[in-house]
Amino acid sequence: MPYKLLFVCLGNICRSPSAENIMNHILTKADLNHAIACDSAGTSSYHIGSSPDRRMNLAAKKRGITLNGSARQFQESDFEEFDLILAMDRSNYRNIVSLDSQAKYQHKVKLMCDFALNYSETEVPDPYYGGAEGFDRVIDLLLDACNGLLDRLVQEEKIAID
Ligand code: 4NP
């Protein structure tokens, strides 16, 4: 059984699909796709069914990564389904844990930036209403945090490497 990661932002068209596709890219390079399964979701219903944002895709392409997927909304059953839920910012974090009515799953919910190695940001900034540099920043921050997250999962022996 692969270890299951769910990346979550507000719209599921910018940050969380980037995190999902960046992590898959890193896993492919490390030949670890069998060990970890990635998905993403938004806390809002605004963009259900939409492809990743075109500006986000452009920024990802500059780093050799294509963004696949269509937006879906986070749902309560995701708490059971996934091993670790990564919120992009504190607002996402609060929205996620507010759906955990019995406070059973808080241990599964973390902030993505907790895993960053080379960046001091504590949140992945929402790029939606800003310029192109904000989208580039999201990609670079997520590349770093995804590498840090994979290192941590290996260190903590959450995944099987054979
Ligand atoms: P995301 O970015 O949460 O990273 O997907 C946003 C996408 C859409 C909106 C806000 C943020 N919006 O307000 O529609």
Side-chain angles (χ1 to χ4, degrees):
M1 277 278 278
Y3 191 81
K4 296 184 75 175
L5 299 175
L6 181 66
F7 300 97
V8 181
C9 61
L10 177 62
N12 193 211
I13 55 169
C14 295
R15 294 165 292 174
S16 61
S18 297
E20 175 190 354
N21 284 278
I22 285 170
M23 192 52 134
N24 279 330
H25 178 82
I26 291 169
L27 292 170
T28 300
K29 282 203 295 190
D31 199 16
L32 282 174
N33 282 108
H34 60 282
I36 300 181
C38 301
D39 192 8
S40 65
T43 58
S44 78
S45 61
Y46 306 155
H47 296 278
I48 290 174
S50 296
S51 298
D53 187 284
R54 199 183 53 80
R55 300 162 296 171
M56 197 72 255
N57 222 339
L58 265 173
K61 281 236 167 67
K62 293 185 201 166
R63 297 282 185 271
I65 296 158
T66 303
L67 302 184
N68 297 307
S70 79
R72 74 165 177 93
Q73 189 169 19
F74 181 86
Q75 53 194 27
E76 259 185 81
S77 59
D78 289 324
F79 286 122
E80 272 292 330
E81 178 72 20
F82 290 89
D83 296 299
L84 188 58
I85 297 167
L86 287 316
M88 297 298 124
D89 65 28
R90 288 189 191 84
S91 165
N92 306 146
Y93 181 92
R94 280 193 300 273
N95 287 330
I96 295 164
V97 298
S98 74
L99 295 171
D100 176 18
S101 43
Q102 296 181 57
K104 268 173 70 181
Y105 300 105
Q106 285 188 27
H107 62 287
K108 288 191 177 187
V109 189
K110 308 273 185 215
L111 277 170
M112 188 66 196
C113 284
D114 290 353
F115 300 95
L117 301 169
N118 301 308
Y119 287 81
S120 55
E121 273 97 333
T122 57
E123 304 183 285
V124 183
D126 181 347
Y128 193 70
Y129 292 107
E133 68 289 347
F135 290 86
D136 292 337
R137 184 86 180 153
V138 165
I139 295 295
D140 290 340
L141 183 50
L142 287 174
L143 274 164
D144 185 55
C146 282
N147 275 309
L149 174 56
L150 178 57
D151 287 355
R152 188 82 67 88
L153 295 176
V154 170
Q155 269 166 26
E156 293 182 356
E157 301 183 354
K158 294 285 198 289
I159 60 170
I161 297 181
D162 40 40

